[in-house]
Coordinates of all heavy atoms in Angstrom, one line a residue:
E1 N 11.0 63.1 10.9 CA 11.4 64.2 11.7 C 12.8 64.0 12.4 O 13.5 64.9 12.7 CB 10.4 64.6 12.7 CG 9.1 65.2 12.2 CD 8.1 65.5 13.2 OE1 8.5 65.5 14.4 OE2 7.0 65.8 12.8
V2 N 13.2 62.7 12.6 CA 14.5 62.5 13.3 C 15.6 62.7 12.3 O 16.8 62.9 12.7 CB 14.6 61.1 13.9 CG1 13.5 60.9 15.0 CG2 14.5 60.0 12.8
C3 N 15.3 62.7 11.0 CA 16.4 62.8 10.0 C 16.3 64.2 9.4 O 16.1 64.4 8.2 CB 16.3 61.8 9.0 SG 16.5 60.1 9.6
D4 N 16.4 65.2 10.2 CA 16.1 66.6 9.8 C 17.3 67.5 9.8 O 17.2 68.7 10.1 CB 15.0 67.2 10.7 CG 15.5 67.3 12.1 OD1 16.5 66.8 12.5 OD2 14.8 68.0 12.9
A5 N 18.5 67.0 9.5 CA 19.7 67.8 9.6 C 19.6 68.9 8.6 O 19.2 68.9 7.5 CB 20.9 66.9 9.3
H6 N 20.2 70.1 9.1 CA 20.3 71.3 8.3 C 21.2 71.0 7.1 O 22.2 70.3 7.2 CB 20.9 72.4 9.1 CG 20.8 73.7 8.4 ND1 21.8 74.1 7.5 CD2 20.0 74.7 8.5 CE1 21.5 75.3 7.1 NE2 20.4 75.7 7.7
P7 N 20.9 71.6 5.9 CA 21.7 71.3 4.7 C 23.2 71.6 4.9 O 24.1 70.9 4.4 CB 21.1 72.2 3.7 CG 19.7 72.4 4.1 CD 19.7 72.4 5.6
E8 N 23.5 72.6 5.7 CA 25.0 72.9 6.0 C 25.6 71.9 6.8 O 26.8 71.6 6.7 CB 25.1 74.3 6.6 CG 25.2 75.5 5.7 CD 26.3 75.3 4.7 OE1 27.5 75.1 5.1 OE2 26.1 75.4 3.5
L9 N 24.9 71.3 7.8 CA 25.4 70.2 8.5 C 25.7 69.0 7.7 O 26.7 68.3 7.9 CB 24.5 69.8 9.7 CG 24.8 68.7 10.6 CD1 26.2 68.9 11.3 CD2 23.8 68.4 11.6
I10 N 24.8 68.7 6.8 CA 25.0 67.6 5.9 C 26.2 67.8 5.0 O 27.0 66.9 4.8 CB 23.7 67.3 5.0 CG1 22.6 66.9 5.9 CG2 24.0 66.3 3.9 CD1 22.8 65.7 6.7
R11 N 26.3 69.0 4.5 CA 27.5 69.3 3.7 C 28.8 69.1 4.4 O 29.8 68.5 4.0 CB 27.4 70.8 3.1 CG 28.5 71.1 2.2 CD 28.7 72.6 2.0 NE 29.0 73.3 3.2 CZ 30.2 73.3 3.8 NH1 31.2 72.6 3.2 NH2 30.4 74.0 4.8
A12 N 28.8 69.7 5.7 CA 30.0 69.5 6.5 C 30.3 68.0 6.8 O 31.4 67.6 6.8 CB 29.8 70.3 7.8
A13 N 29.2 67.2 7.0 CA 29.4 65.8 7.3 C 30.1 65.1 6.1 O 31.0 64.3 6.3 CB 28.1 65.2 7.6
R14 N 29.6 65.5 4.9 CA 30.2 64.9 3.7 C 31.6 65.3 3.4 O 32.4 64.6 2.9 CB 29.3 65.1 2.6 CG 28.0 64.4 2.7 CD 27.2 64.3 1.4 NE 26.0 63.4 1.7 CZ 24.8 63.8 1.7 NH1 24.5 65.1 1.6 NH2 23.8 63.0 1.9
E15 N 31.9 66.6 3.7 CA 33.2 67.2 3.4 C 34.3 67.1 4.4 O 35.4 66.8 4.1 CB 33.0 68.7 3.0 CG 32.1 68.9 1.8 CD 32.6 68.4 0.5 OE1 33.8 68.4 0.3 OE2 31.8 67.9 -0.3
V16 N 34.0 67.3 5.7 CA 35.0 67.4 6.7 C 34.7 66.5 7.9 O 35.4 66.5 8.9 CB 35.3 68.8 7.2 CG1 35.7 69.6 6.0 CG2 34.0 69.4 7.8
G17 N 33.6 65.7 7.9 CA 33.3 64.8 9.0 C 34.3 63.8 9.3 O 35.0 63.4 8.4
T18 N 34.5 63.5 10.6 CA 35.5 62.5 11.1 C 34.7 61.2 11.2 O 33.8 61.1 12.0 CB 36.1 63.0 12.4 OG1 36.7 64.3 12.2 CG2 37.1 62.0 12.9
T19 N 35.2 60.2 10.5 CA 34.5 58.9 10.6 C 34.6 58.3 12.0 O 35.6 58.4 12.7 CB 35.2 57.9 9.5 OG1 35.2 58.5 8.3 CG2 34.5 56.6 9.5
T20 N 33.4 57.7 12.4 CA 33.3 57.0 13.6 C 33.0 55.5 13.4 O 32.8 55.1 12.2 CB 32.2 57.6 14.5 OG1 30.9 57.3 13.8 CG2 32.4 59.1 14.7
T21 N 33.0 54.8 14.4 CA 32.6 53.3 14.3 C 31.2 53.2 14.6 O 30.6 54.0 15.3 CB 33.5 52.5 15.2 OG1 33.3 52.9 16.5 CG2 35.0 52.6 14.8
G22 N 30.6 52.1 14.2 CA 29.2 51.8 14.6 C 28.3 51.9 13.4 O 28.7 52.2 12.3
R23 N 27.0 51.7 13.7 CA 26.0 51.8 12.8 C 25.0 52.9 13.2 O 24.8 53.2 14.3 CB 25.2 50.5 12.7 CG 26.0 49.3 12.2 CD 25.1 48.0 12.2 NE 25.8 46.9 11.7 CZ 25.8 46.6 10.4 NH1 25.1 47.3 9.5 NH2 26.5 45.5 10.0
C24 N 24.3 53.4 12.1 CA 23.3 54.4 12.4 C 22.1 53.7 13.1 O 21.6 52.7 12.7 CB 22.8 55.0 11.1 SG 21.4 56.1 11.2
P25 N 21.6 54.3 14.2 CA 20.5 53.7 14.9 C 19.2 53.9 14.1 O 18.2 53.2 14.5 CB 20.4 54.5 16.2 CG 21.0 55.8 15.9 CD 22.1 55.5 14.9
I26 N 19.1 54.7 13.1 CA 17.9 54.8 12.3 C 17.9 53.9 11.0 O 16.9 53.1 10.9 CB 17.7 56.3 11.9 CG1 17.6 57.2 13.1 CG2 16.4 56.5 11.0 CD1 16.6 56.9 14.2
C27 N 18.9 54.1 10.2 CA 18.9 53.3 9.0 C 19.9 52.1 8.9 O 19.9 51.4 7.9 CB 19.2 54.2 7.8 SG 20.9 54.8 7.7
D28 N 20.6 51.9 10.0 CA 21.5 50.8 10.2 C 22.7 50.8 9.2 O 23.3 49.8 9.0 CB 20.7 49.5 10.1 CG 21.5 48.3 10.8 OD1 22.1 48.6 11.9 OD2 21.4 47.2 10.3
A29 N 23.0 52.0 8.6 CA 24.1 52.1 7.7 C 25.4 51.9 8.5 O 25.6 52.4 9.6 CB 24.1 53.4 7.0
R30 N 26.3 51.2 7.9 CA 27.7 51.1 8.5 C 28.6 52.0 7.8 O 28.5 52.2 6.6 CB 28.1 49.6 8.3 CG 29.6 49.4 8.7 CD 29.9 48.0 8.7 NE 29.8 47.7 10.2 CZ 29.8 46.5 10.7 NH1 29.8 45.5 10.0 NH2 29.7 46.3 12.0
D31 N 29.6 52.5 8.5 CA 30.6 53.4 8.0 C 30.1 54.7 7.5 O 30.7 55.4 6.6 CB 31.4 52.7 7.0 CG 32.1 51.5 7.5 OD1 32.5 51.5 8.7 OD2 32.3 50.5 6.7
E32 N 28.9 55.1 7.9 CA 28.3 56.4 7.4 C 28.2 57.4 8.5 O 27.9 58.6 8.3 CB 26.9 56.2 6.8 CG 27.0 55.4 5.5 CD 27.7 56.2 4.4 OE1 27.5 57.4 4.3 OE2 28.5 55.6 3.6
L33 N 28.5 57.0 9.7 CA 28.5 58.0 10.9 C 29.7 58.8 11.0 O 30.8 58.2 10.9 CB 28.2 57.2 12.2 CG 26.9 56.6 12.4 CD1 26.9 55.9 13.8 CD2 25.7 57.6 12.3
V34 N 29.6 60.1 11.1 CA 30.7 61.0 11.2 C 30.4 62.0 12.3 O 29.3 62.2 12.7 CB 31.0 61.7 9.9 CG1 31.4 60.8 8.8 CG2 29.9 62.6 9.5
H35 N 31.5 62.6 12.9 CA 31.4 63.6 13.8 C 31.8 64.9 13.1 O 32.7 65.0 12.4 CB 32.3 63.4 15.0 CG 31.8 62.4 16.0 ND1 32.5 62.0 17.0 CD2 30.7 61.7 16.0 CE1 31.8 61.0 17.7 NE2 30.7 60.9 17.1
V36 N 31.0 66.0 13.4 CA 31.2 67.3 12.9 C 31.3 68.2 14.1 O 30.5 68.2 15.0 CB 30.1 67.8 11.9 CG1 30.4 69.2 11.5 CG2 30.0 66.8 10.8
T37 N 32.4 69.1 14.2 CA 32.6 69.9 15.3 C 32.4 71.4 14.9 O 32.9 71.9 13.9 CB 34.0 69.8 15.9 OG1 34.2 68.4 16.3 CG2 34.2 70.7 17.1
Y38 N 31.6 72.1 15.7 CA 31.3 73.5 15.5 C 31.8 74.3 16.8 O 31.6 73.7 17.9 CB 29.9 73.9 15.3 CG 29.4 73.4 13.9 CD1 28.8 72.2 13.7 CD2 29.5 74.3 12.9 CE1 28.3 71.9 12.5 CE2 29.0 74.0 11.6 CZ 28.5 72.8 11.4 OH 28.0 72.4 10.2
V39 N 32.3 75.4 16.6 CA 32.8 76.3 17.8 C 32.0 77.6 17.7 O 31.9 78.2 16.6 CB 34.3 76.5 17.8 CG1 34.7 77.4 18.9 CG2 35.0 75.2 18.0
F40 N 31.5 78.1 18.8 CA 30.9 79.4 18.9 C 31.6 80.2 20.0 O 32.1 79.7 21.0 CB 29.4 79.2 19.4 CG 28.6 78.4 18.4 CD1 28.5 77.1 18.4 CD2 27.8 79.1 17.5 CE1 27.8 76.3 17.5 CE2 27.1 78.4 16.6 CZ 27.0 77.0 16.6
G41 N 31.7 81.5 19.7 CA 32.4 82.4 20.7 C 32.6 83.7 20.1 O 32.1 84.0 18.9
P42 N 33.3 84.6 20.8 CA 33.6 86.0 20.4 C 34.3 86.0 19.0 O 35.2 85.2 18.8 CB 34.4 86.6 21.5 CG 34.3 85.6 22.6 CD 33.9 84.3 22.1
R43 N 33.9 86.9 18.2 CA 34.6 87.2 16.9 C 34.5 86.0 15.9 O 35.3 85.8 15.1 CB 36.0 87.6 17.1 CG 36.1 89.0 17.8 CD 37.4 89.5 18.1 NE 38.4 89.2 17.1 CZ 39.7 89.1 17.3 NH1 40.2 89.2 18.5 NH2 40.5 88.9 16.3
L44 N 33.5 85.1 16.2 CA 33.2 84.0 15.2 C 31.8 84.3 14.6 O 31.0 85.0 15.2 CB 33.2 82.7 15.9 CG 34.5 82.2 16.5 CD1 34.3 80.9 17.2 CD2 35.5 82.0 15.4
P45 N 31.5 83.8 13.4 CA 30.2 84.0 12.8 C 29.1 83.5 13.7 O 29.3 82.6 14.6 CB 30.3 83.1 11.6 CG 31.7 82.8 11.3 CD 32.4 82.9 12.7
P46 N 27.9 84.1 13.6 CA 26.8 83.8 14.5 C 26.4 82.3 14.3 O 25.9 81.7 15.3 CB 25.6 84.6 14.0 CG 26.2 85.7 13.1 CD 27.6 85.2 12.7
H47 N 26.7 81.7 13.2 CA 26.4 80.3 13.0 C 27.5 79.4 13.4 O 27.5 78.2 13.2 CB 26.0 80.0 11.5 CG 27.0 80.5 10.6 ND1 28.2 79.8 10.3 CD2 27.1 81.6 9.8 CE1 28.9 80.5 9.4 NE2 28.3 81.6 9.1
G48 N 28.6 80.0 14.0 CA 29.7 79.2 14.5 C 30.7 78.9 13.4 O 30.5 79.3 12.2
R49 N 31.8 78.3 13.8 CA 32.8 77.9 12.8 C 32.9 76.4 12.8 O 33.1 75.7 13.9 CB 34.2 78.5 13.2 CG 35.3 77.9 12.2 CD 36.6 78.4 12.4 NE 36.7 79.8 12.1 CZ 37.7 80.6 12.5 NH1 38.7 80.1 13.2 NH2 37.8 81.9 12.2
C50 N 32.8 75.8 11.7 CA 33.0 74.3 11.5 C 34.5 74.1 11.5 O 35.2 74.6 10.7 CB 32.3 73.9 10.2 SG 32.5 72.1 9.9
I51 N 34.9 73.1 12.3 CA 36.3 72.8 12.4 C 36.7 71.8 11.4 O 36.1 70.7 11.4 CB 36.6 72.2 13.9 CG1 36.2 73.2 14.9 CG2 38.1 71.9 14.0 CD1 36.9 74.6 14.8
S52 N 37.6 72.2 10.5 CA 38.1 71.3 9.4 C 39.5 71.0 9.4 O 40.0 70.1 8.7 CB 37.6 71.9 8.1 OG 38.2 73.1 7.9
L53 N 40.3 71.7 10.2 CA 41.8 71.6 10.2 C 42.3 71.1 11.5 O 41.8 71.5 12.6 CB 42.5 72.9 9.8 CG 42.1 73.5 8.4 CD1 42.7 74.8 8.3 CD2 42.5 72.5 7.3
R54 N 43.3 70.2 11.5 CA 43.9 69.7 12.7 C 44.5 71.0 13.4 O 45.2 71.8 12.7 CB 45.0 68.7 12.3 CG 45.6 68.1 13.5 CD 46.6 67.1 13.0 NE 47.0 66.2 14.1 CZ 46.9 64.9 14.1 NH1 46.6 64.3 13.0 NH2 47.3 64.2 15.1
G55 N 44.4 71.0 14.7 CA 45.0 72.1 15.5 C 44.1 73.4 15.6 O 44.4 74.3 16.3
E56 N 43.0 73.4 14.8 CA 42.1 74.6 14.9 C 41.5 74.8 16.2 O 41.3 76.0 16.7 CB 41.1 74.5 13.8 CG 40.5 75.8 13.3 CD 39.6 75.6 12.1 OE1 39.5 74.5 11.5 OE2 39.1 76.7 11.7
L57 N 41.1 73.7 16.9 CA 40.5 73.9 18.3 C 41.5 74.5 19.2 O 41.2 75.4 20.0 CB 40.1 72.5 18.8 CG 38.7 72.0 18.2 CD1 38.5 70.6 18.8 CD2 37.6 72.9 18.6
A58 N 42.7 74.0 19.1 CA 43.8 74.6 20.1 C 44.0 76.1 19.8 O 44.2 76.9 20.7 CB 45.1 73.8 19.9
R59 N 44.0 76.5 18.5 CA 44.2 77.9 18.2 C 43.0 78.7 18.7 O 43.2 79.8 19.3 CB 44.3 78.1 16.7 CG 45.7 77.7 16.2 CD 45.9 78.2 14.7 NE 45.1 77.5 13.8 CZ 45.3 76.3 13.3 NH1 46.4 75.6 13.6 NH2 44.5 75.7 12.4
L60 N 41.8 78.2 18.6 CA 40.7 78.9 19.1 C 40.6 79.0 20.6 O 40.2 80.0 21.2 CB 39.3 78.3 18.6 CG 39.0 78.5 17.1 CD1 37.9 77.7 16.7 CD2 38.8 80.0 16.8
A61 N 41.1 78.0 21.3 CA 41.2 78.0 22.7 C 42.1 79.1 23.3 O 41.9 79.6 24.4 CB 41.6 76.6 23.2
R62 N 43.1 79.4 22.5 CA 44.0 80.5 22.9 C 43.5 81.9 22.7 O 44.1 82.8 23.3 CB 45.4 80.3 22.2 CG 46.2 79.1 22.7 CD 47.6 79.0 22.1 NE 47.6 78.9 20.7 CZ 47.7 77.7 20.0 NH1 47.7 76.6 20.7 NH2 47.8 77.7 18.7
R63 N 42.4 82.0 22.0 CA 41.8 83.3 21.8 C 41.2 83.8 23.1 O 40.7 83.0 23.9 CB 40.8 83.3 20.7 CG 41.3 83.2 19.3 CD 40.1 83.3 18.4 NE 40.5 83.5 17.0 CZ 39.6 83.7 16.0 NH1 38.3 83.8 16.3 NH2 40.0 83.8 14.8
P64 N 41.1 85.2 23.3 CA 40.4 85.7 24.4 C 38.9 85.4 24.3 O 38.4 85.3 23.2 CB 40.7 87.2 24.4 CG 41.6 87.4 23.2 CD 41.8 86.2 22.4
G65 N 38.3 85.2 25.5 CA 36.8 85.0 25.5 C 36.5 83.5 25.6 O 37.4 82.6 25.6
R66 N 35.3 83.2 25.9 CA 34.8 81.9 26.1 C 34.3 81.3 24.8 O 33.4 81.8 24.1 CB 33.6 82.0 27.1 CG 33.0 80.6 27.4 CD 32.0 80.8 28.5 NE 31.4 79.5 28.9 CZ 30.2 79.1 28.5 NH1 29.5 79.9 27.7 NH2 29.8 77.9 28.9
H67 N 34.9 80.2 24.4 CA 34.5 79.5 23.2 C 34.0 78.1 23.5 O 34.6 77.4 24.4 CB 35.8 79.3 22.3 CG 36.2 80.6 21.7 ND1 37.1 81.4 22.4 CD2 36.0 81.2 20.5 CE1 37.3 82.5 21.7 NE2 36.7 82.4 20.6
V68 N 32.9 77.7 22.9 CA 32.2 76.4 23.2 C 32.2 75.6 22.0 O 31.8 76.1 20.9 CB 30.9 76.7 23.8 CG1 30.2 75.3 24.1 CG2 30.9 77.5 25.0
A69 N 32.6 74.3 22.1 CA 32.6 73.4 21.0 C 31.5 72.4 21.1 O 31.2 71.9 22.2 CB 33.9 72.6 20.9
Y70 N 30.8 72.1 20.0 CA 29.7 71.1 20.0 C 30.1 70.1 18.9 O 30.4 70.4 17.8 CB 28.4 71.8 19.5 CG 27.9 72.8 20.5 CD1 28.3 74.1 20.5 CD2 27.0 72.5 21.5 CE1 27.9 75.1 21.4 CE2 26.5 73.4 22.4 CZ 26.9 74.7 22.3 OH 26.5 75.6 23.3
V71 N 30.0 68.8 19.3 CA 30.3 67.7 18.4 C 29.0 67.1 18.1 O 28.2 66.6 19.0 CB 31.3 66.7 19.0 CG1 31.5 65.5 18.1 CG2 32.6 67.4 19.4
V72 N 28.6 67.0 16.8 CA 27.4 66.5 16.4 C 27.7 65.2 15.6 O 28.6 65.2 14.7 CB 26.6 67.5 15.5 CG1 25.3 66.9 15.0 CG2 26.4 68.8 16.2
E73 N 27.0 64.1 15.8 CA 27.1 62.9 15.1 C 26.1 62.9 14.0 O 24.9 63.2 14.2 CB 26.9 61.7 16.0 CG 27.2 60.4 15.2 CD 27.3 59.2 16.3 OE1 26.3 59.0 17.0 OE2 28.4 58.6 16.3
V74 N 26.5 62.6 12.8 CA 25.6 62.7 11.6 C 25.7 61.4 10.8 O 26.8 60.9 10.5 CB 26.0 63.9 10.7 CG1 25.0 64.0 9.5 CG2 26.0 65.2 11.5
C75 N 24.6 60.9 10.3 CA 24.6 59.8 9.4 C 24.5 60.4 7.9 O 23.6 61.1 7.6 CB 23.4 58.8 9.6 SG 23.3 57.5 8.4
R76 N 25.6 60.1 7.1 CA 25.6 60.6 5.8 C 24.6 59.9 4.9 O 24.4 60.3 3.8 CB 27.0 60.5 5.2 CG 28.0 61.4 6.0 CD 29.4 61.4 5.4 NE 29.9 60.0 5.6 CZ 31.2 59.7 5.5 NH1 32.1 60.7 5.1 NH2 31.7 58.6 5.7
S77 N 24.0 58.8 5.3 CA 23.1 58.1 4.5 C 21.7 58.6 4.7 O 21.0 58.8 3.7 CB 23.1 56.6 4.9 OG 22.3 55.8 4.2
C78 N 21.2 58.8 5.9 CA 19.8 59.2 6.2 C 19.6 60.6 6.8 O 18.5 61.0 7.0 CB 19.1 58.1 7.0 SG 19.6 58.1 8.7
D79 N 20.7 61.3 7.1 CA 20.7 62.6 7.7 C 20.3 62.7 9.2 O 20.0 63.7 9.7 CB 19.8 63.6 6.9 CG 20.3 63.7 5.5 OD1 21.4 63.3 5.1 OD2 19.5 64.3 4.7
W80 N 20.2 61.5 9.8 CA 20.0 61.5 11.2 C 21.2 62.2 11.9 O 22.3 62.2 11.5 CB 19.9 60.1 11.8 CG 19.9 60.0 13.2 CD1 18.8 60.2 14.1 CD2 20.9 59.6 14.1 NE1 19.1 60.0 15.4 CE2 20.5 59.6 15.4 CE3 22.3 59.3 13.9 CZ2 21.2 59.3 16.5 CZ3 23.1 59.0 15.0 CH2 22.6 59.1 16.3
N81 N 20.9 62.9 13.0 CA 21.9 63.7 13.8 C 21.5 63.9 15.2 O 20.4 63.9 15.5 CB 22.2 65.0 13.1 CG 21.1 65.9 13.1 OD1 21.0 66.8 14.0 ND2 20.1 65.7 12.3
H82 N 22.6 63.9 16.0 CA 22.3 64.3 17.5 C 23.6 64.8 18.0 O 24.7 64.6 17.5 CB 21.8 63.1 18.2 CG 22.9 62.1 18.6 ND1 23.5 61.2 17.8 CD2 23.5 62.0 19.8 CE1 24.4 60.6 18.4 NE2 24.5 60.9 19.7
L83 N 23.4 65.6 19.1 CA 24.6 66.2 19.8 C 25.3 65.2 20.6 O 24.6 64.5 21.5 CB 24.1 67.4 20.7 CG 25.1 68.1 21.5 CD1 26.1 68.8 20.6 CD2 24.5 69.1 22.5
V84 N 26.6 65.0 20.4 CA 27.4 64.0 21.2 C 27.9 64.6 22.4 O 27.8 64.0 23.5 CB 28.6 63.5 20.3 CG1 29.5 62.6 21.1 CG2 28.0 62.8 19.1
R85 N 28.5 65.8 22.3 CA 29.0 66.5 23.5 C 29.2 68.0 23.3 O 29.3 68.4 22.2 CB 30.3 65.9 24.0 CG 31.5 66.2 23.2 CD 32.8 65.6 23.7 NE 33.8 65.4 22.7 CZ 33.8 64.4 21.9 NH1 33.0 63.4 22.0 NH2 34.8 64.3 20.9
R86 N 29.2 68.7 24.4 CA 29.4 70.2 24.4 C 30.6 70.4 25.4 O 30.6 69.8 26.5 CB 28.2 70.8 24.9 CG 28.3 72.3 25.1 CD 27.1 72.8 25.9 NE 27.2 74.2 26.2 CZ 27.8 74.7 27.2 NH1 28.5 74.0 28.0 NH2 27.8 76.0 27.4
S87 N 31.5 71.2 25.0 CA 32.7 71.5 26.0 C 33.2 72.9 25.7 O 33.1 73.4 24.6 CB 33.8 70.4 25.8 OG 34.2 70.4 24.4
T88 N 33.6 73.4 26.8 CA 34.3 74.8 26.8 C 35.7 74.6 26.5 O 36.4 73.7 27.1 CB 34.1 75.5 28.1 OG1 32.7 75.6 28.4 CG2 34.7 76.9 28.1
L89 N 36.3 75.4 25.5 CA 37.6 75.2 25.1 C 38.5 75.9 26.2 O 38.2 77.0 26.6 CB 37.9 75.9 23.8 CG 37.1 75.3 22.6 CD1 37.5 76.0 21.3 CD2 37.4 73.8 22.5
V90 N 39.6 75.3 26.6 CA 40.5 75.9 27.5 C 41.9 75.8 26.9 O 42.3 74.8 26.2 CB 40.5 75.2 28.9 CG1 39.2 75.5 29.6 CG2 40.8 73.8 28.8
P91 N 42.8 76.9 27.1 CA 44.1 76.8 26.5 C 44.9 75.6 27.0 O 44.7 75.2 28.2 CB 44.7 78.2 26.9 CG 43.6 79.0 27.4 CD 42.5 78.1 27.8
D92 N 45.8 75.2 26.2 CA 46.7 74.1 26.7 C 47.6 74.4 27.8 O 48.0 75.5 28.0 CB 47.7 73.6 25.5 CG 46.9 73.0 24.4 OD1 45.8 72.5 24.6 OD2 47.4 73.0 23.2

C-alpha cells in the first residue's frame, strides 16, 4: 500500500522528475528518487499541471489568482511516493 503511486505520477517521475540525492526508504534504491511538481489554480486542468520546463513556476506565479505548488518525491524503482512540500506561488 505504501507504493501506490498513480500511473500518471509514475510517468511524470520517469519523464520529467528532478533527480534528488539519497536512497528510497522502502526499497533502498540509490539514484531513483525524483521530485515531481504539480501546480493547481484558476484556469488549470482539474488534475493540475505537471511542471516540466524551467521558468514555468515563475510564469504561473504571475497569473491572476491563487496557485499552489505541490512537490512529490517518487521512487522510480518501487513507486513509493510522499508529499515533500506545498507552497503558494507568489510573483517575483
Side-chain angles (χ1 to χ4, degrees):
E1 289 181 12
V2 297
C3 300
D4 63 350
H6 188 278
E8 273 303 304
L9 178 58
I10 296 304
R11 185 196 63 74
R14 291 193 173 110
E15 300 294 324
V16 299
T18 304
T19 305
T20 66
T21 59
R23 293 178 178 272
C24 174
I26 303 301
C27 72
D28 204 33
R30 171 168 261 164
D31 302 326
E32 291 295 321
L33 289 180
V34 296
H35 284 175
V36 178
T37 303
Y38 286 94
V39 175
F40 296 85
R43 296 178 37 208
L44 293 177
H47 53 79
R49 177 182 290 169
C50 181
I51 303 302
S52 60
L53 301 173
R54 187 179 192 128
E56 203 168 357
L57 283 175
R59 283 191 294 278
L60 287 172
R62 289 190 294 269
R63 283 186 172 187
R66 182 173 179 258
H67 293 84
V68 179
Y70 294 86
V71 178
V72 181
E73 189 167 57
V74 182
C75 176
R76 294 183 293 196
S77 181
C78 73
D79 299 346
W80 171 80
N81 64 99
H82 80 284
L83 180 64
V84 175
R85 76 179 154 273
R86 173 192 179 278
S87 58
T88 301
L89 301 182
V90 293
D92 293 335

